[in-house]
Structure formats: structure tokens, C-alpha cells
Amino acid sequence: MDRANTVRNRAQRYGTTDSKQVKTTMYRSKTCGELRISNAGEQVTLAGWVQRSRKMGGMTFIDLRDRYGITQLVFNEEQDAALCAQANKLGREYVLQVKGTVSERYAKNDKMPTGDIEILVSELNVLNASLTPPFTIEEHTDGGDDLRMKYRYLDIRRENVRANLELRHKFCIAVRNFLDSKGFLEIETPVLIGSTPEGARDFIVPSRMNPGQFYALPQSPQTLKQLLMVAGIDRYFQIAKCFRDEDLRADRQPEFTQIDCEMSFVTQDDIISTFEEMAKYLFKEVRGYDLGEQPFLRLSWHEAMRRFGSDKPDMRFGMEFVELMDVLKGSGSFGVFNDAAYIGGICAEGCAHYTRKQLDQLTDFVKSPQIGAKGLVYARVGEDGSVKSSVDKFYTPEVLSQLRDTMQAKPGDLILILSGADAMKTRKQLCELRLEMGQRLGLRDKNKFSLLWVVDFPMFEWSEEEGRLLAMHHPFTAPRPQDIPMLDTDPASVLADAYDMVCNGVEVGGGSIRIHDAELQAKIFKVLGFTPERAQEQFGFLMNAFKYGAPPHGGLAYGLDRWVSLFAGLDSIRDCIAFPKNNSGRDVMLDAPSAVDPKQLDELKISLAADNE
Amino acid sequence: MDRANTVRNRAQRYGTTDSKQVKTTMYRSKTCGELRISNAGEQVTLAGWVQRSRKMGGMTFIDLRDRYGITQLVFNEEQDAALCAQANKLGREYVLQVKGTVSERYAKNDKMPTGDIEILVSELNVLNASLTPPFTIEEHTDGGDDLRMKYRYLDIRRENVRANLELRHKFCIAVRNFLDSKGFLEIETPVLIGSTPEGARDFIVPSRMNPGQFYALPQSPQTLKQLLMVAGIDRYFQIAKCFRDEDLRADRQPEFTQIDCEMSFVTQDDIISTFEEMAKYLFKEVRGYDLGEQPFLRLSWHEAMRRFGSDKPDMRFGMEFVELMDVLKGSGSFGVFNDAAYIGGICAEGCAHYTRKQLDQLTDFVKSPQIGAKGLVYARVGEDGSVKSSVDKFYTPEVLSQLRDTMQAKPGDLILILSGADAMKTRKQLCELRLEMGQRLGLRDKNKFSLLWVVDFPMFEWSEEEGRLLAMHHPFTAPRPQDIPMLDTDPASVLADAYDMVCNGVEVGGGSIRIHDAELQAKIFKVLGFTPERAQEQFGFLMNAFKYGAPPHGGLAYGLDRWVSLFAGLDSIRDCIAFPKNNSGRDVMLDAPSAVDPKQLDELKISLAADNE
């Protein structure tokens, strides 16, 4: 049996919710998900929650639910009036233990795995009562987000929420077994580390034993995993909690989970081939999706920006950008185009029939504050190949025909064009329009997956705010070897030996070959505007380590929450996290954060600033 | 193939360091651990660190080391003087890439797996230089603890340190696969939670978005896993980081790792049988040690205290306590015994020959401040059965013979006796003496493992300091059902439905059946001296959850660091942690904690207390 097959078979054999016979306890002989017609006649004991109950004539039916499924219980007034009366008093979410006989149903329900049977109950034991839950425990619940978060322990009882957590569990087991089979060691790095001002804001933790000093929670184990490479660990991974004290956007959490990996004695190709194999394995084993034998596409960052206006292009559909500067700039009297630094278009197949109203919606979309375009130019291609555009009066029919040909638009297509004074900004706006059109045309199917690597990122990006170059990834990223000489002459043009794995327009993970040479690292810090003293103060421990035989190394990190959300088809990472925080960083169930006892602050030798007291 | 076998075979197939052919990269075709005589003649590329080099005549030999092993390189001055000269300049811990031919050695070394071959080097590429490391990279290094911690990235290069991390990795993979096969879901609970003053001291984290408020880092996921049971997860586990801001004793870390488990619809027997199976599995698969088919011994807490003076008795050897009150109290004129509340002895087999000096050492040991006994009484049993004791003048020979018989001492044995006014304290002193004698007699073999469950702990213990009963485990522990009525009449005598797993005198893990009834929980809080308001304020989220159909549940948590240390035969948990902190809670490598930028404190609206500034 080859390795891949073995990993696969193992995953199948050890699936979680389908494994049988291991969940018998003193309280139950079977779960609510496993009884079938073949069990008819058996005496069983079940335990679970009342999903719903209904009375029909002299019969009472109760759906009993546990993590593994739902089984119908039957109480017959004629056979045991007292028991039936007891059953009629049970409310939703009561916790029961019942004994009874598995019996074939008259009216079978083929929508549920246990739909062929029911339990004729002979003994009923109420293990716990329940208040009426504040929302229904159903896939389509009547509970709003805030209420569900406050009662997250009830929300998780809903099958779809639980399924996300089960998926996350399965995903992590598969990741670990794959990486283990490749010789990676999972090594826990500390959560209480030192603060590094570069990058996002740290959460800090006052130290009682070292008054006036603070630990920081790691934004990622980046420097620690590099130290593990210096330590000769060769292949490291960790499914690690990371922390960033940022103002939360819709899909950010102050604590999130990374699959963090690092390898020694490798080049970019080694890393890409290892993790491409892992991606294919995970898609197949955990999601049941075959990514095929072909290697993933690799696009340079520049090409991705040029063709899709994004460093994480959604490749489930085409609608690539076509640059139109040669066609439209200076070839007519439309001042907006004549002044533009960039003009680009996309071709929406078969959309020439779009109404005025639909086009106005698209115009409003690109002009919305989040997108920020000035306007939208469109051109319809008629069935006869003629072009009718919103800029007809500025251009000759010949130019418009040239536009159609350059766009490779066919009869019935709609051409959408954006322009602007800042090429990069305009491309990003056009990217949003492309995604919107993809959405409208149903081209962004959640059950289709398209992966690629984006490579050759710029090393640096200019920060207007700070008036200096910033590291586009982080300051430990290696430049491409051929670009090293440019660090002195033209640092802004240096490309990094970095790569992102992108799936369906989402950056699933990314990484780089790291600098392993103390001198090169010092040079990069210099380009980033660090004085040698500040570099030493902040990263001295790493630069010192590099003096003791650091091997060539590189790695990457995946966003676990994001990857699982993709597999689950979720719109927010929040839905695959057991106890997420809201956009104010609060856990509304625990009511955290909260005020603490002043004694605690005294012990820590800190105090609240006056305006908080 | 049955389940256990499959899990086992899987573990064997996916062993980490022995898996082959997956570690080829652009920098190497083989690792330094895999070449054998069968590879002779092959052209290979290796990469690694210079372990040592030596010149013999015109030959230079270098041991090249990577994570997987050591391979000998040979440079021949006659064949390539320039290359050999280059090799002679390489220092310890230089990072090399070499190409060469695998060749059979003249002088084979059967102490290393690659000892039959060497590499005749044809190409040498120095990937990185190294300063001379501050200590030797050998199993028996010349580096002291402090130096090794500061340069932990060099310390981890030592094979024995790395082996501990590999063991930890293997252990965690095995734990996860076992629990997965039993239907447990690993669910991540948050690290930023609310502070709970009960128990040890929390680490707290100021919230910038919620000024004046603080998160706390979890001391354990206890309440969260109980909420997951309320949520219907049925079987949960997590290998979770936990945090306690305590004054550190020798073997404590401010952050440590727990294998945290919880199950619904279970009794103590369900939990014990599940985790006994896991223990047997882990010992066999990870440690290669067969614990046998028999269930583990279960001792009640009272019996463990009576027979061994400890709630975590070391059962690798006997030397059980014999109570001697009936024999020695009031039967002679020795006032110390006549006043004692407890007199107990142990019988050290074959130690009657102990010299005066040895007995003085033992006396000093029990009188040391850590033990705190007043003195030690001994009695030697001669070859003729006669008894010679340090209290001969107080007792008749008949009493001494009775002592010998009660102790079941044989000719040549040594009886050691402690007494005191506080029975519990004296038993603990006698426990220390028993362990000391076990050590001296070589009865505490690190390669032998003896496991047991200690059950029926007292629910509460009296705190002199606080003048109230404290929860011996935690306030969510259920009393034994039969003891519930005593909560009103005699709470101090109530026993808990709690259990500890003990191995070789170490508490490896422990847990309990939890209270799932809001009323009973309220009653326990009352016994513990909580006002209803304070209970609501601190644990309201949990007590509210219990009102919505909490199932019966229970669980346990293992100390991962401790268990791995046991398997590795380590004296300190620190040695199985990649980057541990010292006894002041400092990471000396990272130099954390440290002062932070005052701007950070401003943003958090906190300030240092005046005496820190």
C-alpha cells in the first residue's frame, strides 16, 4: 500500500462521527444516530435532548437528539398512560434517558438515517430540565447573531454549527498526520514572549514577578520557528494560536489559528511541492474534492496585478483585464481617458442585455466609498457586432470596433471599463468589479475550488505615512538571489523569494525563503530604516542566532480559520470558531474582557490611566 | 484488522525520524542518517553541521550532523589538496553542503547506524559559517543550565534534547489519533477569556478596544469545556496551553500544556475505562512498555493516605506503612510515642546492616525543614530475630518482638518509625522517608511504570488562612451521589466523584464528574462561602447555561509536560519544552518579559505604578 493511500484509508477508518460502538456509556447503549431497521427488536437505552414533540391521538412522538443524530421516541397512552402523561410534560431541550424497544416505523422518513425505526419507550428518566431556549435549535434558526453568540452553547447544538467544528477537527487531524508522515515535528512555542513593535500591535501581559515589564502574545511564531531551524529541527510545524490587537474588520479575530510550517535546506520549489501535495491531500480527504494531478498555476505578483488587479485572484472564472491605453487614450475626445494613467476593461459574456437599471447599479457599486472609482464606462456588443457605448460621442465607430476586437468581445457581450490616474488603484477597483460580475453571473461557485501560487512579490512597499519602505511580508523574507545587488541601487524594485497560496480569491497561506545570513539581514534592516542599535534591540536574539550556523530555510503559514471556512462554504471565519469574539473584541457569552479586582492591578504594579477610573 | 492494531500499525508506519525518502530537497539528496553499506558507490549530496573534524596524515575527517544522524566525510590531500585545505579551515557548527561518493569504511564504527560508510567528498559548499559555540554540542555538554537556556537554539542541536521534542511530538500525534478514534472532537477554546479570582492567580491582558478592562489567560479550559458539554459536543478534547501566575517552584512553568478531555452521559467508570485504555495505548505505542491487560488498581484517597501517606503513591515498590499505635503507645515509657496522635513504621528489607552514619543521615533527612519531623526511631532485626532499637530502654523485649511481628519484619530488616501529634503531617513525613528509602534501595527504576487511580477524594479542605472550606479540586466537582445529603450536615466529610491517575508517584492527570444541576452547583458555592451575588458574578455564565439542559458530564486533564517527562525519564518538565522559562518566569533567550514603549501603555490606558517608574 503506498503512503498516500494509507494516509487516506486511515482517515476513512478513523472518521469521527461515523465510528461506531465506542460511545456506549453507563447512560446509553446506543447513540441517537446509529439505529437502523436491522436493530429492530433490540432493547436499547438512549440519552439526549428533546428536539421536538407532538401528540397525535393517543400517541406522543418525541425526537431525541444527540451529537450523532435524531431518533424518534413513541409513547402510547393505551399501553402506559402514566408514562405518556410524563412525556407530554417534557419541554424542548429537556435532557432524557430512555429505555425501549427498537421498532419498525409505519411511516418511514427517508430524510433521516434513523428514519426507518422508532423506539417504543418503556422507561423515561429526566436527567435535566431546560428553560425554553431563546431561539430555535434548528439549521434555520430564528435567533439573530447577537443572541446566538450570547448563548453560543445553545447555538452549537444546531447541526450546521456543530458540523463546522467537526470539520475543523477532521481538518486538523489530517494536517497533522500528513505533516507527520513527511517528517515534520510539531513543536509548541511559547505564548508569553517579548514584544516586537514592527508589524501589527501586540497584546501585552504585565509580569508580576518582573514588575514594570511585560510579556507579549505572539502575532505568529515567526522568529521562534526560525530559531528552531537554527536549532537543527529541519522540519517544524505547529497549529498555533496567534494574537493581533488590531481594530477588527468584519472577518478578523483578535486571536486566530495558524498552521505554521518551516523547513531547512530548501528552495521555493521544495516548499511549493510539499505544500501543494498537502493541499491536494486535504481537499481530497477532508473535502472530497479532487484537485487533479497537475501542479498549481504560478503567477508572478506583477502578472496577477496586471491580469486580475489582485494578489489573490479568484481563478474560478476568466474575465481577465484587458489594458486599453493603446486603444482609448488619445484616440478620441473623452478627457477622462485622455488624462488616465490606466484604462482597463473586462468582458462580461452575454450581458449586453443588461438594463439601464442594472448598469446604474454597477456604476453605483464602483463609485461606492469602499471601491472609490469615479465612474464606469460600458459598451454593448450587438448581435450584429456593432458597439453601443456610454462614450459613443467621443469616439469614432472604428475606435469602438477596435475596442471590441481588443477585448475579444463577441456579439451579446458587455464591456465594462474603468480608468484612473493611479494604475494600481484603478486595477484594484476593476478587480472588485470583476468579482461583482463573477458573483452576479454565478461564476463563484462555493463547491468549485481553483488554487494557484502567487510568487515574486515586491520586497518592500512605500509607506506614505511613515515616509519609508516597509517589508511587504516581514523583515526576515529573503530577496530573490538575483535581486540582491539591487538592494543598494534600487531597493524598491527588489522582488522577494515569497509565495502565497490562493484559493477562490482568498489568501489561504503564504510564506517565503528566509534570510539566513546575518549580514544580509542587517542590510535589510538598514533598508527598512532601522538603526543598527534598534535592530539589535528588537531582533538581536535572532541575528545572534544566525551567527552560529543558520541553515538555509523557509516556510509558510496557513490561516486555519480561513481554510476551514472555505471548505465549509462559510462567509465568515467566525462560524468555524467555537467561541468567537465580536467586532469589539468581546466575548459576549463570557462577558470578557471585564474590570478586574484593584488588588490584581496592585500586585502587577500597574494602574488605570486617570480617565478610566 | 482490529481497531487497536490499526492504530498501532499506523503509528509504526508514520514514525517520524525513521520515515525515508521524503526529506530530499534541492540542497540534499539524502539525510545524514540514512546511508548504509548498500548505498556504497552512490553519488549523494548531503547538508548539515560540522560536529567535529580531525586530521590524520593526509586525510581530513569531518562528522556531518543533521536531525537524522551523523555521516563521516573524508577529504584526501593527495587527491584534492585545495579541497582538503578548504576542509581544514572549517570550524565546529559550520553549515555545509557536500557532494561525494558513498564508500565502505576501512574501520567501521558499529556504534552509529551510518558507521559502515563514509563520503569521499568531491565538492564542498559552505552554506554558513559559525562562531565557536559557547558550549559543546554533545549529549554530555560542558554548558551550564543558564548558558544552555540563553543559547537554547544551540542546546536543541544536542541529540538528547531534540529526542525529547521528538518524543513529545509523537506522544501528541498518538493522543490525537486515539481520541479521534473514540469520537472525541478537538475544539479550540479561546485564550483571551475572563478573569476568575477563584483558584490560582490569572495572567491578565489589557484590552485597548475596551479601556479599563482586561482579558485573562485561561488557567485551564474547565468552564469552556463544560459549556461544550452543554452544547452537545458529547466528547471533547484539546491539547491546550494553560497559564498560571504563581511563584514558580522548581518544576512549574507559567505556561504549560494540558490534555484536556470531557465526556457527556458518563459515570466515573466510563471515564476511567476510556482513559485507562488510552494510557495503555500510549505506553505501548510511544514508550514501548506493556502495562498488561489488568485494570489499574483503584485506591481511595483515605486508603492511599493510610498506606502510603500520599495521594500519589509510588507503587513501584511496597514498604507500606504499618500503624503502630496499638503496639507502641502506652506500652512503654517513651513519652514521644505516648503523646503521639500517630505512630507509623516502614520496613526496609535487608537494611539491618545500616551503619550509625547511614542512620544519622536518615535522621537528618526527616528532620530537614522540607520534611519537618522531630526525629527518627529505628529498630534492627538481627539474624536470630532479636530486635535492637533506638528506644530499647523504654520498652520490654516483648513489646519490641510484637513490633517486629506487626511490621512483619524478617531477620536482617530495618524498621523505621515516625510519630507526631498531627496524623496527616506525620504520614506525609513518613511518605518522604519511604520514597527516600525506595531511592536508596534502587526501587524507583525509571524504566518501570506502575499506574493506579486514586479516587474518593474529600470534596473540601479547610483553609486556616481563609477560615473557610476550599474546593479540593475545583468548585464544579460533583460530590458522590450518596454523600449529597451530608452537604447540609457534615460538608467536611463529603467525598467527591473525583479521580487522579498516578504513575510512579507523579499525578499524571485528574478529573471528576461535574455538577450538571444548577441547584446543586448553587449549594456547593454556598458551602464554599460564596454569596449568591458573587457566585453569579463569577460563574453566572456557567450556571445560566446549566438551566438549558446540561447533560451529566465529567472529564479529566493530563499534564502533557509531566507525562512526556515520565516517558523520557527526565527529572524536570523543562527538558521536554522547546523554550522554557526560568524560575523567575523569564525567557532568557528572548529576554522576555521586558519594558515596553510608553506609547503602548498610553494606548492601553494603563500606567506603571509610581515605584516602577
Side-chain angles (χ1 to χ4, degrees):
Chain A
M1 207 184 317
D2 72 31
R3 181 172 303 273
N5 264 327
T6 320
V7 176
R8 189 170 315 136
N9 292 341
R10 171 194 349 173
Q12 282 160 1
R13 266 197 306 272
Y14 293 91
T16 52
T17 49
D18 52 2
S19 62
K20 302 258 164 58
Q21 292 168 335
V22 292
K23 296 177 204 89
T24 299
T25 70
M26 299 289 169
Y27 277 92
R28 67 185 176 211
S29 64
K30 297 283 179 186
T31 72
C32 296
E34 66 185 286
L35 293 171
R36 301 286 181 273
I37 191 75
S38 59
N39 300 102
E42 285 178 25
Q43 292 290 317
V44 297
T45 309
L46 300 183
W49 287 262
V50 174
Q51 176 73 25
R52 65 180 71 80
S53 69
R54 58 197 182 284
K55 250 184 96 126
M56 290 172 68
M59 312 281 274
T60 297
F61 298 92
I62 289 182
D63 282 353
L64 192 70
R65 185 197 69 237
D66 66 13
R67 182 181 120 197
Y68 313 98
I70 288 182
T71 297
Q72 178 166 292
L73 312 178
V74 190
F75 300 82
N76 190 329
E77 198 172 359
E78 254 177 44
Q79 279 174 17
D80 190 335
L83 194 68
C84 197
Q86 207 190 336
N88 287 334
K89 280 185 238 147
L90 302 170
R92 281 201 291 130
E93 301 304 317
Y94 272 52
V95 189
L96 311 183
Q97 182 190 42
V98 295
K99 291 189 206 300
T101 311
V102 183
S103 165
E104 187 172 355
R105 281 205 210 182
Y106 279 111
K108 295 194 174 53
N109 179 346
D110 60 10
K111 292 202 185 90
M112 50 197 288
T114 63
D116 287 353
I117 59 96
E118 59 193 8
I119 310 294
L120 305 179
V121 177
S122 57
E123 204 181 316
L124 167 64
N125 181 10
V126 177
L127 298 174
N128 219 338
S130 174
L131 299 179
T132 304
F135 50 82
T136 56
I137 311 295
E138 305 277 356
E139 182 168 347
H140 299 286
T141 180
D142 58 355
D145 259 16
D146 290 350
L147 200 60
R148 292 197 296 109
M149 288 304 136
K150 187 167 158 58
Y151 294 91
R152 183 65 163 173
Y153 45 85
L154 299 180
D155 197 32
I156 294 174
R157 288 189 191 163
R158 294 165 58 222
E159 194 189 333
N160 43 330
V161 178
R162 198 193 58 236
N164 294 338
L165 299 179
E166 287 176 348
L167 176 68
R168 189 183 178 105
H169 162 79
K170 261 177 111 162
F171 188 91
C172 290
I173 289 274
V175 166
R176 287 190 161 100
N177 286 332
F178 178 86
L179 290 174
D180 177 56
S181 79
K182 296 290 180 191
F184 285 77
L185 295 179
E186 184 163 28
I187 296 181
E188 285 179 70
T189 55
V191 172
L192 298 170
I193 63 169
S195 187
T196 52
E198 190 73 353
R201 217 182 270 108
D202 285 325
F203 282 104
I204 60 172
V205 182
S207 166
R208 184 182 53 86
M209 299 227 282
N210 303 273
Q213 301 193 337
F214 295 79
Y215 300 102
L217 305 181
Q219 295 183 26
S220 85
Q222 180 63 38
T223 51
L224 291 159
K225 71 177 172 176
Q226 293 193 246
L227 290 173
L228 287 172
M229 294 303 105
V230 177
I233 287 301
D234 203 71
R235 297 187 166 203
Y236 144 95
F237 83 102
Q238 184 182 193
I239 300 188
K241 267 286 171 76
C242 304
F243 305 85
R244 275 176 210 177
D245 185 12
E246 291 177 294
D247 298 314
L248 301 179
R249 295 195 311 236
D251 212 21
R252 284 257 176 99
Q253 288 278 317
E255 53 179 299
F256 57 96
T257 306
Q258 244 176 231
I259 307 167
D260 193 46
C261 308
E262 198 80 3
M263 306 168 78
S264 287
F265 301 114
V266 290
T267 62
Q268 186 181 120
D269 278 339
D270 294 312
I271 293 178
I272 283 187
S273 73
T274 301
F275 289 96
E276 208 165 291
E277 187 182 341
M278 181 168 98
K280 287 178 178 176
Y281 171 74
L282 293 172
F283 269 87
K284 193 160 211 165
E285 300 310 317
V286 182
R287 186 57 177 70
Y289 191 90
D290 192 346
L291 290 174
E293 296 296 317
Q294 288 291 89
F296 299 170
L297 177 70
R298 296 190 206 177
L299 274 189
S300 77
W301 182 86
H302 278 103
E303 190 178 352
M305 295 307 294
R306 189 170 56 74
R307 288 169 56 189
F308 303 97
S310 170
D311 57 4
K312 40 179 193 283
D314 186 341
M315 305 292 279
R316 281 173 295 184
F317 63 106
M319 221 186 278
E320 285 191 29
F321 294 6
V322 178
E323 212 203 273
L324 299 169
M325 292 287 278
D326 288 349
V327 181
L328 297 174
K329 183 165 176 162
S331 56
S333 59
F334 188 45
V336 171
F337 284 173
N338 291 343
D339 295 340
Y342 175 81
I343 311 169
I346 55 175
C347 178
E349 266 183 53
C351 291
H353 63 81
Y354 263 37
T355 62
R356 182 77 222 174
K357 194 177 154 198
Q358 284 175 302
L359 290 164
D360 285 348
Q361 279 174 350
L362 288 178
T363 306
D364 289 348
F365 173 79
V366 299
K367 288 169 79 174
S368 69
Q370 306 94 285
I371 315 287
K374 292 267 161 53
L376 173 67
V377 168
Y378 62 83
R380 295 187 173 99
V381 182
E383 288 307 323
D384 58 354
S386 66
V387 180
K388 292 250 182 273
S389 84
S390 56
V391 291
D392 277 359
K393 60 179 167 186
F394 302 114
Y395 292 97
T396 61
E398 288 69 36
V399 171
L400 294 175
S401 295
Q402 205 194 333
L403 166 67
R404 179 200 58 210
D405 295 346
T406 306
M407 292 297 305
Q408 299 189 311
K410 297 179 307 298
D413 289 356
L414 174 70
I415 298 165
L416 298 168
I417 302 170
L418 293 182
S419 68
D422 180 324
M424 204 51 95
K425 269 193 193 158
T426 310
R427 283 196 180 99
K428 285 181 182 167
Q429 293 159 353
L430 192 56
C431 167
E432 295 299 329
L433 180 63
R434 173 178 173 268
L435 293 175
E436 172 68 18
M437 285 309 299
Q439 197 71 44
R440 284 174 182 242
L441 296 174
L443 301 173
R444 301 179 71 189
D445 179 353
K446 281 187 178 176
N447 291 310
K448 184 180 165 185
F449 296 96
S450 181
L451 284 94
L452 78 155
W453 295 97
V454 175
V455 300
D456 293 346
F457 283 76
M459 271 290 276
F460 309 104
E461 52 190 347
W462 181 256
S463 164
E464 288 296 338
E465 199 183 328
E466 305 206 23
R468 63 170 176 117
L469 290 175
L470 297 180
M472 194 150 171
H473 272 72
H474 52 61
F476 316 111
T477 302
R480 299 193 312 173
Q482 64 269 43
D483 292 358
I484 291 178
M486 282 202 295
L487 283 170
D488 295 314
T489 55
D490 182 13
S493 298
V494 172
L495 298 182
D497 204 345
Y499 33 80
D500 275 1
M501 199 178 101
V502 174
C503 176
N504 292 5
V506 173
E507 182 206 321
V508 189
S512 62
I513 297 298
R514 326 299 184 185
I515 299 164
H516 65 282
D517 177 79
E519 257 179 68
L520 181 58
Q521 186 69 67
K523 178 170 265 182
I524 298 292
F525 281 132
K526 197 177 154 199
V527 173
L528 292 169
F530 282 67
T531 61
E533 295 71 33
R534 208 176 125 227
Q536 186 60 39
E537 191 189 314
Q538 282 181 29
F539 300 109
F541 63 94
L542 189 63
M543 293 200 295
N544 283 346
F546 283 179
K547 293 176 188 157
Y548 291 95
H553 63 287
L556 86 182
Y558 289 103
L560 174 67
D561 309 292
R562 221 175 266 179
W563 199 335
V564 173
S565 301
L566 260 180
F567 272 21
L570 300 173
D571 293 319
S572 164
I573 61 167
R574 206 177 286 180
D575 293 325
C576 71
I577 296 172
F579 300 111
K581 294 188 174 54
N582 72 11
N583 282 350
S584 313
R586 295 199 70 80
D587 185 320
V588 293
M589 179 187 72
L590 300 176
D591 196 23
S594 61
V596 298
D597 195 322
K599 272 198 328 204
Q600 279 178 278
L601 300 183
D602 288 348
E603 279 196 316
L604 294 169
K605 312 271 192 224
I606 60 172
S607 57
L608 301 182
D611 51 350
N612 279 316
E613 296 191 72
Chain B
M1 207 184 319
D2 72 33
R3 182 171 304 273
N5 263 328
T6 321
V7 177
R8 188 170 317 136
N9 291 341
R10 171 190 357 169
Q12 282 161 358
R13 264 198 306 274
Y14 293 90
T16 52
T17 49
D18 53 0
S19 62
K20 302 257 165 61
Q21 291 169 334
V22 292
K23 296 180 204 88
T24 299
T25 69
M26 298 290 168
Y27 276 93
R28 66 186 177 210
S29 63
K30 297 283 180 186
T31 71
C32 297
E34 65 184 288
L35 293 172
R36 300 288 180 273
I37 191 74
S38 58
N39 300 101
E42 286 179 26
Q43 291 291 317
V44 297
T45 308
L46 300 183
W49 286 262
V50 174
Q51 176 72 26
R52 66 180 72 80
S53 68
R54 57 198 182 283
K55 250 183 96 126
M56 290 173 69
M59 313 279 276
T60 297
F61 297 92
I62 290 182
D63 282 352
L64 192 70
R65 184 196 72 237
D66 66 12
R67 183 181 121 198
Y68 312 98
I70 288 181
T71 297
Q72 178 167 292
L73 311 179
V74 189
F75 299 81
N76 189 328
E77 199 172 0
E78 254 177 44
Q79 278 172 19
D80 191 335
L83 194 68
C84 197
Q86 208 189 335
N88 288 335
K89 279 186 237 148
L90 302 171
R92 280 203 291 131
E93 301 305 316
Y94 270 53
V95 188
L96 311 183
Q97 181 190 41
V98 295
K99 292 187 205 300
T101 311
V102 182
S103 166
E104 186 171 355
R105 281 205 210 182
Y106 279 113
K108 296 195 174 51
N109 179 345
D110 59 9
K111 293 204 184 88
M112 51 198 287
T114 63
D116 287 353
I117 57 95
E118 60 192 6
I119 310 293
L120 306 179
V121 178
S122 56
E123 204 181 316
L124 167 64
N125 181 9
V126 178
L127 299 173
N128 220 338
S130 174
L131 297 180
T132 303
F135 49 83
T136 55
I137 310 296
E138 305 276 358
E139 182 168 347
H140 300 285
T141 180
D142 58 356
D145 259 16
D146 291 350
L147 201 59
R148 292 197 298 107
M149 287 304 136
K150 186 166 159 59
Y151 294 90
R152 184 64 164 171
Y153 45 85
L154 298 180
D155 197 31
I156 293 173
R157 287 188 192 162
R158 294 165 57 223
E159 192 188 334
N160 44 330
V161 178
R162 198 191 58 235
N164 294 338
L165 299 179
E166 287 176 347
L167 175 69
R168 188 182 179 107
H169 163 79
K170 259 176 113 163
F171 188 92
C172 289
I173 289 274
V175 166
R176 287 190 162 102
N177 286 331
F178 177 86
L179 290 173
D180 177 56
S181 79
K182 297 290 181 192
F184 285 77
L185 296 179
E186 184 163 27
I187 296 182
E188 285 177 70
T189 54
V191 172
L192 297 171
I193 64 168
S195 187
T196 53
E198 190 73 351
R201 216 181 274 108
D202 286 324
F203 282 104
I204 60 173
V205 183
S207 166
R208 184 181 52 86
M209 301 229 279
N210 303 273
Q213 302 193 337
F214 294 78
Y215 301 101
L217 305 182
Q219 295 183 27
S220 86
Q222 180 64 35
T223 53
L224 291 159
K225 70 176 173 177
Q226 292 193 247
L227 290 173
L228 287 172
M229 294 302 104
V230 176
I233 287 300
D234 204 74
R235 296 186 168 204
Y236 144 93
F237 84 101
Q238 187 182 191
I239 300 188
K241 266 284 169 79
C242 304
F243 305 86
R244 276 177 210 176
D245 184 12
E246 291 179 295
D247 297 315
L248 302 178
R249 294 195 313 234
D251 214 21
R252 284 256 176 102
Q253 288 279 316
E255 54 179 299
F256 56 97
T257 307
Q258 246 177 232
I259 306 169
D260 193 47
C261 308
E262 199 79 5
M263 305 168 78
S264 287
F265 302 114
V266 290
T267 62
Q268 185 179 122
D269 279 338
D270 294 312
I271 292 179
I272 282 187
S273 73
T274 301
F275 288 97
E276 206 165 292
E277 188 183 341
M278 182 168 97
K280 287 179 179 177
Y281 171 75
L282 293 173
F283 268 87
K284 193 160 212 163
E285 300 310 317
V286 183
R287 186 56 176 72
Y289 191 91
D290 192 347
L291 289 173
E293 296 297 317
Q294 288 291 89
F296 298 171
L297 178 70
R298 296 189 206 178
L299 273 190
S300 77
W301 182 86
H302 277 103
E303 190 178 352
M305 294 308 294
R306 188 171 56 74
R307 290 170 55 190
F308 303 96
S310 169
D311 57 4
K312 39 180 195 281
D314 186 341
M315 305 292 279
R316 282 173 294 185
F317 63 105
M319 222 187 278
E320 285 192 29
F321 294 6
V322 178
E323 212 204 273
L324 299 169
M325 292 288 277
D326 288 349
V327 181
L328 296 176
K329 183 166 177 158
S331 55
S333 58
F334 189 46
V336 171
F337 284 171
N338 291 342
D339 295 340
Y342 175 81
I343 310 169
I346 54 175
C347 178
E349 266 183 54
C351 292
H353 61 83
Y354 262 38
T355 61
R356 183 77 221 175
K357 193 176 156 201
Q358 284 174 302
L359 290 164
D360 284 349
Q361 279 174 348
L362 288 177
T363 306
D364 290 346
F365 173 80
V366 299
K367 288 169 80 174
S368 69
Q370 306 94 284
I371 315 286
K374 292 266 163 52
L376 173 68
V377 168
Y378 63 83
R380 295 189 174 97
V381 183
E383 287 308 323
D384 58 354
S386 66
V387 181
K388 291 250 183 271
S389 84
S390 56
V391 289
D392 276 359
K393 59 180 168 185
F394 302 114
Y395 293 97
T396 62
E398 288 69 32
V399 171
L400 293 174
S401 295
Q402 204 192 333
L403 167 66
R404 178 199 60 209
D405 295 347
T406 306
M407 292 296 305
Q408 300 190 310
K410 299 179 306 295
D413 288 355
L414 175 70
I415 299 166
L416 298 167
I417 303 171
L418 293 182
S419 68
D422 180 325
M424 203 52 93
K425 269 193 195 158
T426 311
R427 284 198 178 97
K428 285 181 183 168
Q429 293 159 353
L430 192 55
C431 167
E432 295 298 330
L433 180 62
R434 172 177 174 269
L435 293 176
E436 172 67 17
M437 287 308 300
Q439 198 70 46
R440 284 174 182 244
L441 296 174
L443 301 173
R444 301 178 72 189
D445 179 354
K446 282 187 177 176
N447 292 310
K448 184 179 165 187
F449 297 96
S450 182
L451 284 94
L452 78 155
W453 295 96
V454 176
V455 299
D456 294 345
F457 283 77
M459 271 292 275
F460 309 105
E461 53 189 347
W462 181 256
S463 164
E464 288 296 340
E465 198 183 329
E466 305 206 23
R468 62 170 177 118
L469 291 174
L470 298 180
M472 194 150 169
H473 273 72
H474 53 61
F476 316 110
T477 301
R480 298 194 313 174
Q482 63 269 40
D483 292 358
I484 291 177
M486 282 202 296
L487 283 171
D488 295 313
T489 55
D490 182 13
S493 298
V494 173
L495 298 182
D497 204 344
Y499 32 82
D500 275 1
M501 199 178 104
V502 174
C503 176
N504 291 5
V506 173
E507 181 208 323
V508 190
S512 62
I513 297 298
R514 326 300 182 182
I515 299 164
H516 66 281
D517 178 80
E519 258 179 68
L520 181 57
Q521 185 69 67
K523 177 170 266 180
I524 298 291
F525 281 133
K526 197 176 152 198
V527 174
L528 292 170
F530 281 67
T531 62
E533 294 72 33
R534 206 177 125 227
Q536 186 62 37
E537 191 189 312
Q538 280 181 30
F539 300 110
F541 63 95
L542 189 64
M543 294 200 296
N544 283 346
F546 282 178
K547 293 175 187 157
Y548 291 95
H553 63 286
L556 86 181
Y558 289 103
L560 173 67
D561 309 291
R562 221 174 269 178
W563 199 332
V564 173
S565 302
L566 260 180
F567 272 21
L570 299 173
D571 293 319
S572 164
I573 61 168
R574 205 178 287 180
D575 293 324
C576 70
I577 295 172
F579 300 110
K581 294 187 174 53
N582 71 11
N583 282 351
S584 314
R586 297 200 68 80
D587 184 321
V588 293
M589 179 186 71
L590 299 176
D591 195 24
S594 61
V596 298
D597 194 322
K599 273 198 326 202
Q600 279 179 279
L601 301 182
D602 288 348
E603 280 196 316
L604 295 168
K605 311 270 192 222
I606 60 172
S607 56
L608 302 182
D611 51 351
N612 279 316
E613 297 191 71

